[in-house]
Amino acid sequence: MLEKALKGSKKYYGWIAALLAVIGVGFACYLWQFQFGLGITGMSRDVSWGFYIAQFTFLVGVAASAVMVVLPYYLHNYKAFGRITILGEFLAVASVTMCILFIFVDLGQPTRVFNVLLHPTPNSVLFWDMIVLNGYLFLNIIIGWNVLEAERNNVAPPSWLKPLIYLSIPWAVSIHTVTAFLYCGLPGRGFWLTAILAPRFLSSAFAAGPAFLILLCMLVRKLTKFDPGREQIQSLAKVVAYAICINVFFFLCEVFVVFYSRIPEHMDHLVYLFAGLHGHNALVPWMWASMILMVVSIILLVNPATRKNETTLVAACITVFIGTWIDKGLGMISGGFVPNPLHHVTEYVPTIPELAISIGVWAIGFLVLTALFKIAVSIKEEVSGVS
Amino acid sequence: MEESSRRTFLKLAGFSALGLGAKPVLDAFASSGGEQSKPMVMKGADALKAKRWALVIDTRKFESEKDLEPMIEVCHKIHNVPKLANKRHEIKWIWTEEFKHIFSTQTHAFLNDRVKHLPFLTLCNHCEKPACVRACPTKATFKREDGIVLMDFHRCIGCRFCMAACPYGSRSFNFRDPRPFIKETNLKFPTRMKGVVEKCNFCAERLAVGKVPACVEVSKGALAFGDLEDSKSKVRELLSSNFTIRRKPALGAGPSVFYIV
Ligand code: SF4
Ligand code: SF4
């Protein structure tokens, strides 16, 4: 089936070439970072994780959200999603690939990465994160590939695949839970030290991921002869609507606990993010923008008229995606480091090379996504005889 | 069995290394693989030993930053700690903080003037339950039998999970090659490469040859180092005759650094 990714229109090749160019720039910057050290980034002794780890966190969510199409189809026999499970699974593959790359580019001594395997350390959450992420990647590759192959040959998927599919459902939840546990078990970081962190991660993931999938479905419909289907898109829209509401609700729960209890170690981070602390306020406009975007998206998604109208639905999905991205991909990580454990305020701003490397990793993700979607869509066209 | 025979071997190797080179060999086995090849500083015959090392800092004996400089200087000098101008990339093992920062959870607006303006020595607490050790995915950070939390610079992958985990801000990361920023390299202690984390090691390399930590040595009696489990040790004596505090007691990390205020 791989050959399908190699045959395409001029536009397709143009897009691939553009992605490769972006990847090239990112790679060049990475070589610079490899040579100089992480000093070329905006990270510091006080804010020791930055943009890379934040992208990783956000993308784990997008990856986990594949479960939102897999679960209704396989557990509730919701037939309509049968058409798009493959898209969800391939989106997961591309996202996990990016996650692993973001962890990798964040390492100070990347050539020693296999020390994690050579000296397995079960008390470290990072060890478990490595296991669940790689496991999830393999599950989705195996499942997606075999289901697609069966579809192409017009036979039922092999029976040994079923247990793996069922396994992939709790596994999806586990990747984002373990990722939240990276942060919420740390004793000195009041911003993350909350049991609502994993649920918050999951809810924002189940909003951002399916929102992105809706946008992809519409793109596929526009660019190819395969139509993922209006019903499918509408069902996903309901998932996004519920998830974004729950996400904002969880956030408000956190806000209540923090500000009613008034415990400074928990409160100061939120104050920093939303009002600024000791005159430092780089993230304030971003965080408010994130809140406004989420509220706007709730209005657009809960209201049936705007949800059912595909133009406003696209707007809603874009607002959800950007809103949750700012929340997790920008505020969530550096917010936890400011103020530092000694109550000093050091702000974090990513540098140009750091952004170039990040965009490069995103481009690799899009390259994987493009190739996989191309394969999936070509097979779908072939099967339905429209190609 | 295995474990203890290995230990004996390591100790013997330590003796012979002492005989040959007359200096402790830091972690010769780290890269030879295997769970049991835990890195350790091999101890010589006159090594100082304890069940749990602890430091008591008598802050009443200090008045200004100047009184603390010698301790910081000697530590950073013998441990090849670089001096980087860029604050973001700063490496420090021991430094000073005001009360409101080092004891951020215990401060209030009406501290007396002495405490309010006094600089306090700040360093790794060699916690009884170290969050950094819990978080490290490679065991590059580990706790030794005598309570000292150590780093294996050759195993660290630079993920910085330990830095996020430490609730005391004790750890530094080499954002770039530190070597050009070391004024005078002490050849008896390893320098670090870019991309690894480092922190105070309670002078494990000095204890191995029977010397107290360098900061204690130059402190003119203001710092006391000893075994917390030995009721007759100097630190226990100080703890029983003075009121002492530790940083962030509510976290239950069990710091081994005590402050007489
Ligand atoms: S103070 Fe920080 S670095 Fe030192 S042992 Fe405790 S947690 Fe680890
Ligand atoms: S940076 Fe090094 S010492 Fe710290 S957690 Fe990672 S591997 Fe362990």
Side-chain angles (χ1 to χ4, degrees):
Chain A
M1 291 193 288
L2 264 179
E3 76 282 356
K4 299 274 182 204
L6 300 174
K7 276 183 279 168
S9 62
K10 270 220 175 93
K11 247 200 216 154
Y12 176 72
Y13 286 124
W15 168 243
I16 299 280
L19 285 177
L20 287 174
V22 176
I23 294 169
V25 174
F27 187 70
C29 288
Y30 181 71
L31 288 180
W32 177 18
Q33 177 184 300
F34 186 80
Q35 199 265 328
F36 184 89
L38 282 161
I40 70 161
T41 70
M43 288 185 270
S44 59
R45 192 181 188 278
D46 285 345
V47 186
S48 46
W49 279 338
F51 212 66
Y52 300 147
I53 293 297
Q55 303 314 298
F56 151 77
T57 309
F58 178 74
L59 287 164
V60 172
V62 176
S65 71
V67 75
M68 284 292 120
V69 285
V70 172
L71 187 147
Y73 179 59
Y74 287 102
L75 287 191
H76 299 285
N77 205 16
Y78 178 60
K79 287 275 175 347
F81 273 177
R83 264 176 101 78
I84 56 165
T85 47
I86 187 70
L87 301 185
E89 282 153 356
F90 280 173
L91 174 59
V93 171
S95 308
V96 181
T97 308
M98 287 188 263
C99 293
I100 292 171
L101 285 172
F102 271 119
I103 293 268
F104 186 80
V105 299
D106 188 66
L107 293 181
Q109 280 290 332
T111 55
R112 296 184 189 160
V113 60
F114 289 110
N115 280 1
V116 179
L117 296 172
L118 292 173
H119 312 286
T121 312
N123 50 269
S124 171
V125 185
L126 209 57
F127 168 76
W128 294 106
D129 213 33
M130 179 203 68
I131 291 183
V132 293
L133 280 177
N134 283 298
Y136 192 66
L137 180 62
F138 284 117
L139 275 177
N140 276 291
I141 291 177
I142 293 169
I143 295 169
W145 203 257
N146 280 289
V147 169
L148 196 61
E149 190 129 59
E151 189 173 335
R152 183 187 204 184
N153 300 330
N154 222 345
V155 294
S159 54
W160 56 263
L161 210 57
K162 264 284 157 75
L164 290 187
I165 291 171
Y166 290 135
L167 179 65
S168 80
I169 293 170
W171 203 289
V173 179
S174 84
I175 63 166
H176 219 18
T177 306
V178 174
T179 301
F181 285 0
L182 284 175
Y183 312 110
C184 70
L186 304 178
R189 311 280 177 182
F191 184 55
W192 302 327
L193 191 66
T194 163
I196 201 81
L197 201 70
R200 253 183 91 189
F201 273 22
L202 284 164
S203 59
S204 81
F206 294 158
F212 191 55
L213 195 55
I214 291 177
L215 297 172
L216 288 174
C217 284
M218 294 194 176
L219 208 62
V220 163
R221 181 163 65 193
K222 215 167 150 191
L223 297 176
T224 74
K225 297 192 191 79
F226 169 65
D227 183 2
R230 185 179 158 80
E231 184 193 340
Q232 285 77 355
I233 287 174
Q234 282 302 317
S235 301
L236 277 177
K238 280 184 208 142
V239 172
V240 181
Y242 277 113
I244 192 71
C245 291
I246 295 172
N247 184 44
V248 170
F249 170 67
F250 283 168
F251 173 70
L252 293 177
C253 290
E254 175 72 13
V255 168
F256 170 78
V257 171
V258 163
F259 286 100
Y260 198 80
S261 67
R262 310 221 68 127
I263 301 173
E265 294 97 276
H266 294 264
M267 201 166 59
D268 292 339
H269 302 276
L270 274 173
V271 171
Y272 164 69
L273 286 175
F274 285 91
L277 197 64
H278 308 317
H280 299 274
N281 48 17
L283 286 175
V284 173
W286 290 93
M287 295 315 290
W288 283 107
S290 161
M291 284 302 124
I292 292 166
L293 289 171
M294 287 200 229
V295 171
V296 168
S297 70
I298 288 180
I299 296 169
L300 290 176
L301 285 163
V302 171
N303 179 356
T306 43
R307 188 179 63 239
K308 285 181 184 146
N309 176 325
E310 289 202 345
T311 316
T312 39
L313 179 59
V314 167
C317 288
I318 293 173
T319 36
V320 166
F321 194 78
I322 299 176
T324 49
W325 179 81
I326 295 172
D327 179 33
K328 247 173 165 171
L330 215 54
M332 185 58 73
I333 302 306
S334 45
F337 286 106
V338 187
N340 83 350
L342 289 139
H343 217 94
H344 290 296
V345 180
T346 308
E347 280 199 298
Y348 162 78
V349 182
T351 59
I352 305 270
E354 189 177 7
L355 291 174
I357 293 172
S358 303
I359 294 169
V361 173
W362 274 92
I364 294 177
F366 272 101
L367 187 68
V368 173
L369 187 73
T370 307
L372 290 176
F373 268 41
K374 174 79 174 39
I375 294 172
V377 169
S378 306
I379 301 274
K380 300 249 181 204
E381 288 174 339
E382 190 182 294
V383 171
S384 57
V386 288
S387 61
Chain B
M1 261 301 281
E2 255 277 15
E3 175 83 73
S4 71
S5 64
R6 234 196 119 76
R7 286 264 147 76
T8 325
F9 167 73
L10 283 172
K11 269 182 202 149
L12 286 175
F15 285 134
S16 42
L18 259 175
L20 293 172
K23 65 178 172 190
V25 182
L26 191 72
D27 178 31
F29 296 83
S31 50
S32 58
E35 158 78 51
Q36 281 164 22
S37 61
K38 266 207 168 174
M40 51 165 64
V41 175
M42 283 175 255
K43 298 183 186 93
D46 36 40
L48 299 180
K49 296 188 186 87
K51 287 224 177 72
R52 183 177 164 199
W53 288 115
L55 182 70
V56 177
I57 301 176
D58 189 347
T59 66
R60 295 169 306 188
K61 302 215 166 118
F62 299 124
E63 266 167 23
S64 71
E65 202 78 40
K66 253 183 95 174
D67 302 331
L68 299 163
E69 261 162 27
M71 287 160 250
I72 298 169
E73 216 158 272
V74 69
C75 166
H76 286 179
K77 195 166 166 220
I78 64 168
H79 293 123
N80 295 324
V81 174
K83 201 153 184 58
L84 290 137
N86 187 341
K87 195 100 174 72
R88 288 190 297 123
H89 300 165
E90 197 178 14
I91 311 268
K92 46 189 181 185
W93 285 26
I94 179 167
W95 70 99
T96 61
E97 292 282 352
E98 286 178 13
F99 189 92
K100 67 174 180 200
H101 289 297
I102 181 169
F103 294 107
S104 57
T105 53
Q106 286 134 284
T107 189
H108 60 80
F110 309 101
L111 289 172
N112 68 31
D113 273 352
R114 183 185 73 87
V115 171
K116 197 189 271 172
H117 301 297
L118 189 69
F120 285 80
L121 275 182
T122 312
L123 68 160
C124 168
N125 286 294
H126 297 275
C127 302
E128 190 182 355
K129 297 183 186 125
C132 56
V133 172
R134 209 149 57 227
C136 177
T138 62
K139 303 190 189 83
T141 286
F142 59 99
K143 193 175 128 186
R144 224 163 56 157
E145 289 162 329
D146 58 3
I148 299 184
V149 174
L150 284 182
M151 281 277 325
D152 177 352
F153 306 123
H154 298 280
R155 188 183 285 190
C156 173
I157 60 173
C159 65
R160 313 189 294 298
F161 200 9
C162 53
M163 293 178 82
C166 172
Y168 302 104
S170 307
R171 300 181 151 256
S172 307
F173 178 72
N174 287 283
F175 280 95
R176 58 185 302 179
D177 182 7
R179 283 162 191 146
F181 303 92
I182 303 169
K183 235 197 236 134
E184 227 180 290
T185 307
N186 170 17
L187 296 173
K188 294 203 183 115
F189 197 81
T191 54
R192 274 74 68 192
M193 67 284 284
K194 65 168 182 262
V196 299
V197 168
E198 60 181 82
K199 66 166 194 73
C200 153
N201 67 347
F202 256 6
C203 279
E205 82 285 2
R206 288 172 57 95
L207 296 174
V209 291
K211 294 186 193 159
V212 296
C215 58
V216 178
E217 194 176 80
V218 302
S219 71
K220 299 193 190 120
L223 269 54
F225 192 72
D227 190 352
L228 204 55
E229 305 277 309
D230 174 4
S231 57
K232 289 193 247 1
S233 70
K234 178 92 205 271
V235 290
R236 282 291 290 276
E237 190 190 302
L238 283 168
L239 291 176
S240 56
S241 53
N242 294 283
F243 174 69
T244 46
I245 56 173
R246 294 192 287 181
R247 296 172 66 190
K248 301 193 178 176
L251 298 181
S256 301
V257 177
F258 297 79
Y259 296 81
I260 302 173
V261 183

